[in-house]
Amino acid sequence: DNECINDIKLLCIYFNDNHSDTLSSCTPPSLASAIVSYYVLINKLDISKNLICDKSNVSIVTITKITNILISFSHNKIK
């Protein structure tokens, strides 16, 4: 729905504004897929990484790697 899309856009803006140096090596499709995966994870949605992988043509390994980087940013922010 539109609220989810807007939330994902805000995450994209946040990560770009605050972590672009670390994420600059990621391709746009990989980063977008990882941000969607991160959003799904933090909101406990019933969408698998396999589905994200199939729809984005980005490997699960890549999505997982970048999602873990995004999670680490969150943990560092909380500390």
Side-chain angles (χ1 to χ4, degrees):
D1 70 11
N2 283 339
E3 184 178 339
C4 292
I5 293 169
N6 286 332
D7 289 347
I8 292 170
K9 284 181 185 177
L10 291 174
L11 282 173
C12 290
I13 292 167
Y14 169 78
F15 287 124
N16 185 57
D17 288 351
N18 296 285
H19 302 287
S20 61
D21 53 335
T22 305
L23 299 171
S24 64
S25 64
C26 302
T27 65
S30 298
L31 184 55
S33 300
I35 291 172
V36 169
S37 175
Y38 176 80
Y39 179 82
V40 166
L41 184 68
I42 63 174
N43 288 286
K44 297 178 173 76
L45 302 178
D46 187 24
I47 299 172
S48 71
K49 280 187 189 170
N50 284 333
L51 180 62
I52 296 169
C53 174
D54 290 343
K55 298 297 181 183
S56 66
N57 292 319
V58 177
S59 75
I60 291 177
V61 172
T62 300
I63 292 172
T64 300
K65 178 183 167 190
I66 300 170
T67 301
N68 287 337
I69 293 169
L70 301 178
I71 291 168
S72 75
F73 294 150
S74 304
H75 289 304
N76 289 337
K77 183 179 177 184
I78 293 169
K79 291 180 182 178

